[in-house]
Amino acid sequence: MMTEDNPLIRGIITDAKAKAEAIEVKAGKEAEDIISEAEEKARHDAAAEKRVYELRLEQIGLREESARKNIDRLSELRSLDAAYTQVMDEVSRRLDEEMRKPSFRDVLSDWIAEAAIGLDRREARVAYSQKTPVDEDMLRSAEEKVRKAVGAEVSLSLDSEMLSAPGVVVTSIDGKVSYNNQLDVRMRRYSRDIRRIVQEENARQNSR
């Protein structure tokens, strides 16, 4: 009698085949799941790596843009500084020419009056430089300008101290307070306005 003809043996074989097929199916499903998970992980890792790469490119781009803006800004500042220096040099040159003219006496008288108003004292001394001399007539003119401008009476006298730089300095009699209207101080006083004008003009030229 053959083994296959034995019902018991045949049942065992059938059962074993069924279990083997089930194991094979399960193994195949597990393999598919493993492959699917591996593919999903690979896609996730690839997407993450791509995002990291894109972020790095973006950061590099931002750094390059920032560097370019810094270079442009530095170039603009250098251009503005050069233009400002040129303007100030031209102002100094023209003022130097004006100081040689007799009409500059009226300008100095205005500076004295302005300083006297700013000082706000009834009496004051006026110091001047050799390049911008002041006399009594100019003091009387400045007193009249103060009177007309603010209605105040002020008595001005010449200071014995000579200034080294062009312009005037008006000082209280006790020497405790003074108003500096020397040329270099006045130019520094208006330097911000001059720089703003230069910047606006430079921007207007660049927009053409």
Side-chain angles (χ1 to χ4, degrees):
M1 183 177 179
M2 295 182 67
T3 303
E4 288 81 356
D5 293 334
N6 188 317
L8 179 60
I9 298 299
R10 192 166 54 247
I12 293 173
I13 292 173
T14 300
D15 186 55
K17 286 183 177 178
K19 288 183 178 179
E21 288 175 357
I23 291 172
E24 185 179 351
V25 170
K26 183 179 180 182
K29 181 65 171 62
E30 289 178 350
E32 288 177 359
D33 290 344
I34 291 172
I35 292 172
S36 178
E37 289 177 3
E39 289 176 345
E40 179 62 27
K41 185 176 185 302
R43 285 193 295 269
H44 180 272
D45 291 347
E49 184 66 25
K50 182 181 179 182
R51 181 55 183 160
V52 170
Y53 178 72
E54 290 173 346
L55 285 173
R56 287 175 179 172
L57 285 179
E58 185 178 348
Q59 289 172 353
I60 292 172
L62 290 173
R63 284 197 295 267
E64 289 178 348
E65 178 67 13
S66 177
R68 186 188 63 78
K69 288 182 178 180
N70 286 337
I71 292 173
D72 290 344
R73 179 60 179 164
L74 182 60
S75 176
E76 181 183 356
L77 288 175
R78 287 177 176 173
S79 176
L80 287 174
D81 286 342
Y84 173 78
T85 299
Q86 185 177 0
V87 168
M88 295 301 283
D89 288 344
E90 179 63 17
V91 169
S92 296
R93 186 189 67 79
R94 293 189 181 186
L95 282 172
D96 192 62
E97 289 180 355
E98 290 297 319
M99 283 188 290
R100 295 188 179 94
K101 299 178 181 179
S103 58
F104 195 72
R105 288 171 53 87
D106 290 334
V107 175
L108 272 180
S109 178
D110 290 339
W111 290 7
I112 296 169
E114 178 187 61
I117 292 172
L119 189 68
D120 193 23
R121 292 292 189 276
R122 291 185 62 83
E123 295 183 75
R125 302 192 308 270
V126 179
Y128 57 90
S129 74
Q130 188 173 5
K131 200 170 186 178
T132 52
V134 175
D135 57 30
E136 292 290 341
D137 289 339
M138 295 168 66
L139 295 183
R140 303 294 82 77
S141 175
E143 290 171 353
E144 180 62 22
K145 289 175 180 178
V146 171
R147 189 160 40 249
K148 288 182 179 180
V150 296
E153 295 290 339
V154 59
S155 176
L156 300 173
S157 59
L158 295 175
D159 199 321
S160 59
E161 182 179 354
M162 186 72 69
L163 303 176
S164 58
V168 294
V169 175
V170 178
T171 306
S172 60
I173 297 300
D174 58 13
K176 291 183 178 181
V177 290
S178 63
Y179 190 105
N180 193 327
N181 242 352
Q182 290 176 276
L183 180 59
D184 58 341
V185 174
R186 288 183 62 84
M187 290 181 67
R188 287 198 300 272
R189 196 176 294 155
Y190 295 107
S191 62
R192 180 177 297 180
D193 292 333
I194 295 173
R195 185 175 288 276
R196 177 181 54 78
I197 293 171
V198 171
Q199 186 172 5
E200 291 174 353
E201 178 62 21
N202 190 63
R204 189 177 66 82
Q205 293 289 340
N206 291 335
S207 64
R208 289 181 175 180

